[in-house]
Amino acid sequence: MLDKKTLSRLLMSAAIVVASAGSAAAAETLRFSHTDNPGGSRQAAAELFAEKVAEYTDGRYEVQIFPSGQLANDPKAIELLQLGGIDFTVSATGSYATHLPTLNLTAMPFLVDTYEQGWELYDNSDWLQGEFDKLPEKGFRVLSTWEAGFRSFTTNEPLASPEDAQSMKMRVFPNDMIRWSMEAIGFQTVVMPITDVYLSIQQGIVNGQENPVDTINSLRFYEVAPNITLTRHVYSPLPLTIAEKTWQSFSDEDKEAVRKAAAESAAFSRNLVKSSVDSQLSQMTEDGAKVSVPEIGPFREAVQPVYAKAKDVYGEEAVNNILSDAAAIRDALPAQN
């Protein structure tokens, strides 16, 4: 017979083992892939998101982050979402257009002029929310929208006007709208994943690329293409998405926890990117970049055919819906001069 003291110790040990096993089983790992560098804003927002998911699910889930395209470039990451190979990714809206082509319309040039207008478009446009609602049937869904900013150019030769573009090859990601805009401006376009861009500029395969300042800084494109031309031609935020398979595996409680973490990380991302642009440009200038703001009129004029082309491909109704939403937002939230 065991004495009471020994029995008590055994029961306590068993309880600890059971509790530890339960805790280990509860901490399910979720994989988050993105293409930003570890020091970039996406990584900072991903770390906050991971922290909040753990907090709000009481440790039932642990988000493991894979930056720098370790697992996949942007298009492949979205395919992995659909297959359930990863659980989260964050990428430009146009990256998702391969699976829902109408999302290309968010990359029409000069839709909005300020961050606040862009946030309103992504949070409250009836048309865009309706498009996002179609994504679960494609295998993933939007949780929130993180920030990247407005797309501008980095080139290895000065770019003061569309005339300068005619002698240049411009890298684009696989997105028809961006490609049409670049070709309308006068560039020859070369499609390639963002993970190949730095070396391709260095080797002279392309003359430059276009991305938001935050991405230009994070991926150090200004080192090989030091002419930064602030056209701000497309507002390019980053929808945070989750695999639909993963989403459906959550309890209602955990869905709400992940939504809350996504909303908080989006607010963090927006504030971080918007508030960092000036200091990033200053730092890149100190490192040898040449920053310029061209006369925007000729660029706006050059891309006018893109709107008509969009109507031909995606239908007049869809194009008019997003243009109407964007115009109403610009009127309601005018840019401050």
Side-chain angles (χ1 to χ4, degrees):
M1 286 283 290
L2 295 173
D3 60 52
K4 287 185 177 179
K5 191 178 277 188
T6 302
L7 183 60
S8 176
R9 278 202 306 270
L10 287 172
L11 289 172
M12 187 174 293
S13 298
I16 291 170
V17 169
V18 169
S20 299
S23 175
E28 183 177 338
T29 300
L30 301 172
R31 288 151 57 96
F32 189 149
S33 171
H34 69 81
T35 55
D36 199 15
N37 278 345
S41 69
R42 261 173 278 184
Q43 177 68 11
E47 289 171 357
L48 178 68
F49 176 70
E51 176 189 320
K52 293 300 182 182
V53 167
E55 177 184 344
Y56 297 147
T57 64
D58 297 321
R60 288 188 294 278
Y61 291 97
E62 175 190 358
V63 176
Q64 187 175 5
I65 305 163
F66 297 87
S68 304
Q70 291 174 34
L71 298 183
N73 61 32
D74 289 307
K76 291 294 182 187
I78 296 166
E79 290 178 14
L80 286 175
L81 270 189
Q82 294 177 297
L83 297 170
I86 61 173
D87 302 287
F88 304 102
T89 196
V90 62
S91 186
T93 317
S95 298
Y96 300 101
T98 303
H99 308 283
L100 185 63
T102 45
L103 289 179
N104 270 321
L105 297 177
T106 63
M108 282 193 293
F110 302 109
L111 277 181
V112 295
D113 302 317
T114 69
Y115 285 99
E116 290 77 12
Q117 291 172 4
W119 299 340
E120 183 70 16
L121 180 70
Y122 271 74
D123 291 348
N124 294 311
S125 160
D126 290 339
W127 178 83
L128 186 52
Q129 290 305 313
E131 297 307 291
F132 282 167
D133 287 346
K134 298 173 184 176
L135 291 175
E137 67 188 35
K138 306 293 183 182
F140 55 92
R141 67 172 58 217
V142 173
L143 292 173
S144 66
T145 304
W146 292 5
E147 190 57 83
F150 288 84
R151 302 181 82 88
S152 289
F153 294 104
T154 46
T155 52
N156 55 14
E157 298 292 338
L159 175 67
S161 70
E163 284 71 30
D164 294 331
Q166 293 176 20
S167 62
M168 295 187 191
K169 290 183 179 178
M170 177 60 53
R171 173 269 173 178
V172 295
F173 69 101
N175 177 272
D176 285 344
M177 195 66 61
I178 294 290
R179 181 171 56 80
W180 296 343
S181 293
M182 296 305 99
E183 290 171 353
I185 289 169
F187 295 105
Q188 298 177 58
T189 57
V190 180
V191 176
M192 69 175 65
I194 199 167
T195 44
D196 296 344
V197 172
Y198 188 103
L199 189 60
S200 294
I201 298 174
Q202 197 171 44
Q203 293 177 340
I205 296 169
V206 293
N207 296 97
Q209 62 84 52
E210 48 85 53
N211 255 302
V213 167
D214 185 72
T215 305
I216 292 167
N217 179 67
S218 172
L219 299 183
R220 307 185 74 84
F221 291 139
Y222 62 91
E223 294 178 343
V224 288
N227 297 281
I228 301 174
T229 307
L230 298 176
T231 47
R232 292 165 54 93
H233 49 273
V234 170
Y235 178 61
S236 187
L238 305 164
L240 167 66
T241 49
I242 183 172
E244 185 65 12
K245 182 178 178 181
T246 304
W247 181 255
Q248 294 302 336
S249 74
F250 289 157
S251 66
D252 288 346
E253 181 184 7
D254 287 338
K255 285 177 181 176
E256 186 54 39
V258 171
R259 276 198 198 98
K260 186 177 179 183
E264 291 184 18
S265 60
F268 170 84
S269 170
R270 286 173 170 180
N271 180 65
L272 176 63
V273 171
K274 182 187 175 187
S275 64
S276 298
V277 169
D278 289 345
S279 61
Q280 288 172 339
L281 289 171
S282 295
Q283 184 60 55
M284 288 188 283
T285 300
E286 286 181 23
D287 291 344
K290 301 178 184 70
V291 178
S292 64
V293 180
E295 185 182 346
I296 298 300
F299 288 94
R300 286 184 182 269
E301 184 63 30
V303 299
Q304 287 305 306
V306 173
Y307 304 105
K309 191 165 188 174
K311 289 179 181 179
D312 288 342
V313 173
Y314 299 104
E316 195 161 340
E317 183 180 1
V319 174
N320 286 342
N321 281 339
I322 188 170
L323 290 177
S324 175
D325 283 356
I329 288 165
R330 291 196 307 272
D331 289 343
L333 298 170
Q336 301 296 314
N337 294 323

